[in-house]
């Protein structure tokens, strides 16, 4: 792995069977990966650092709920990994959660992406989207540009500009981390994907808990009144972004064949 790219596996348990296997498999493909200690939010809510701040009012308006401690722990695990990579001067950071396994072409695809200076590339995702096929990568794999969010943070690559955009936006916390990336149009994060995926999610749950909680029962009247205007504002932002970048999404179509082995892919 080139010196300008860090590769970390986010895990609460470095000794877990799949965490150790994932590190071993990455090393076997020539990637010098290490464990990044996840933030544990299962007990008390994690303490915020630096510019991190909760935007609970927006969370209630947008989603009818605030992040639980576990959801916040997952969020901060990704945010702080990216912040650390950026602070260390890395040109790229590749992050994987500890509930994935990698495909044989993972390293080859990753290496092919390091010369392209792309803000973000999802190496797997959970949702099928219309996308524009751009160019071949390693044998049998292609770079694509989805026109909507692909869902999931199991495995992805950020370049330095993408790190900066993400950090500046994500320090205001109001929704799960994968929704932040799906709302790329709010902070001009240019998001790409790899087909077929070069990582797949295991059936069992990751130690980086990220299950979205049920809606809160204590929504205030003003939260309910603000819901539709705020939703409209977000929708307008998405449509304006797509209009401004319409050439980049032109010709987007749904995949016509299987693009990943993850069971929850839909």
């Amino acid at each position: 792995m080139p010196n300008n790219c860090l590769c970390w596996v986010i895990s609460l348990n470095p000794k877990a069977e799949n965490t150790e296997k994932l590190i071993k498999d990455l090393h076997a493909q020539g990637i010098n990966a290490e464990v990044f200690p996840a933030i544990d939010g299962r007990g008390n809510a994690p303490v915020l650092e630096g510019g991190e701040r909760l935007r609970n009012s927006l969370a209630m308006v947008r989603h009818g709920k605030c992040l639980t401690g576990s959801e916040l722990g997952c969020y901060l695990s990704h945010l702080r990994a990216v912040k650390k990579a950026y602070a260390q001067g890395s040109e790229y950071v590749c992050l994987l959660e500890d509930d994935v396994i990698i495909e044989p072409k993972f390293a080859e695809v990753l290496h092919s992406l390091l010369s392209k200076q792309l803000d973000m590339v999802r190496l797997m995702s959970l949702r099928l989207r219309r996308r524009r096929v751009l160019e071949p990568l390693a044998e049998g794999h292609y770079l694509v540009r989805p026109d909507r969010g692909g869902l999931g943070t199991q495995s992805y690559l950020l370049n330095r500009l993408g790190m900066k955009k993400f950090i500046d936006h994500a320090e205001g916390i109001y929704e799960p981390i994968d929704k932040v990336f799906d709302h790329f149009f709010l902070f001009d994060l240019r998001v790409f994907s790899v087909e077929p995926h070069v990582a797949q999610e295991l059936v069992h749950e990751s130690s980086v808990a990220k299950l979205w909680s049920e809606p809160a029962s204590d929504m205030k009247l003003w939260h309910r009144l603000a819901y539709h205007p705020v939703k409209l504002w977000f929708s307008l932002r998405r449509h304006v972004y797509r209009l401004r970048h319409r050439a980049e999404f032109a010709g987007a179509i749904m995949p016509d064949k299987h693009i990943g082995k993850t069971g929850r892919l839909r």
Side-chain angles (χ1 to χ4, degrees):
M1 174 64 60
N3 293 331
N4 65 344
C5 182
L6 296 173
C7 183
W8 288 328
V9 174
I10 298 175
S11 181
L12 281 170
N13 183 8
K15 299 299 183 182
E17 180 180 356
N18 195 66
T19 301
E20 291 188 331
K21 181 180 184 303
L22 182 53
I23 292 290
K24 181 179 178 180
D25 290 345
L26 288 163
H27 287 174
Q29 292 195 26
I31 298 175
N32 184 25
E34 298 179 354
V35 171
F36 184 89
I39 308 301
D40 192 351
R42 295 172 297 180
N44 297 326
V47 176
L48 301 183
E49 299 176 351
E52 299 163 358
R53 63 198 184 280
L54 294 175
R55 302 182 67 187
N56 286 338
S57 292
L58 182 56
M60 292 299 293
V61 170
R62 282 286 286 156
H63 303 292
K65 50 202 168 187
C66 298
L67 271 67
T68 66
S70 292
E71 292 159 354
L72 181 57
C74 175
Y75 190 110
L76 293 175
S77 298
H78 285 267
L79 176 58
R80 291 180 186 174
V82 175
K83 289 167 73 172
K84 182 174 181 179
Y86 189 81
Q88 292 182 187
S90 179
E91 290 298 318
Y92 291 92
V93 62
C94 178
L95 297 178
L96 303 95
E97 292 180 353
D98 60 0
D99 61 343
V100 304
I101 57 178
I102 59 172
E103 299 291 344
K105 295 286 186 179
F106 184 93
E108 192 173 340
V109 167
L110 186 61
H111 278 274
S112 71
L113 293 168
L114 297 183
S115 63
K116 299 186 184 302
Q117 287 298 328
L118 305 174
D119 288 0
M120 179 182 185
V121 183
R122 272 187 161 120
L123 303 173
M124 69 152 284
S125 55
L126 297 174
R127 185 163 293 169
L128 292 172
R129 293 297 195 189
R130 287 162 43 92
R131 81 287 186 260
R132 179 181 180 184
V133 179
L134 299 178
E135 61 181 282
L137 297 170
E139 180 182 355
H141 294 273
Y142 295 86
L143 181 69
V144 304
R145 183 81 190 274
D147 65 355
R148 298 283 295 275
L151 191 64
T153 53
Q154 285 80 8
S155 181
Y156 60 93
L157 176 72
L158 290 169
N159 74 355
R160 189 160 182 81
L161 179 59
M163 290 185 235
K164 176 63 174 170
K165 290 179 179 180
F166 169 64
I167 293 167
D168 288 347
H169 177 78
E171 287 193 319
I173 303 166
Y174 65 92
E175 61 184 356
I177 190 65
D178 55 351
K179 288 186 179 292
V180 174
F181 289 125
D182 283 355
H183 295 153
F184 57 85
F185 52 85
L186 295 175
F187 54 111
D188 192 27
L189 186 72
R190 299 179 71 242
V191 180
F192 300 81
S193 295
V194 171
E195 290 184 10
H197 300 159
V198 287
Q200 59 174 293
E201 182 187 51
L202 294 172
V203 174
H204 65 79
E205 184 180 332
S206 168
S207 74
V208 188
K210 49 187 178 294
L211 297 179
W212 196 208
S213 61
E214 292 299 317
S217 60
D218 57 349
M219 285 186 69
K220 295 181 173 57
L221 177 60
W222 78 267
H223 291 145
R224 300 180 189 278
L225 292 175
Y227 172 77
H228 286 292
V230 172
K231 182 180 179 181
L232 177 61
W233 181 80
F234 272 75
S235 181
L236 288 173
R237 290 285 301 272
R238 179 171 64 84
H239 286 291
V240 169
Y241 184 88
R242 283 174 56 88
L243 182 62
R244 288 178 175 172
H245 298 271
R246 57 188 177 276
E248 299 178 37
F249 300 112
I253 58 174
M254 291 294 289
D256 60 0
K257 57 184 178 181
H258 195 59
I259 65 167
K261 299 178 182 177
T262 296
R264 290 197 294 150
L265 179 63
R266 60 193 188 280

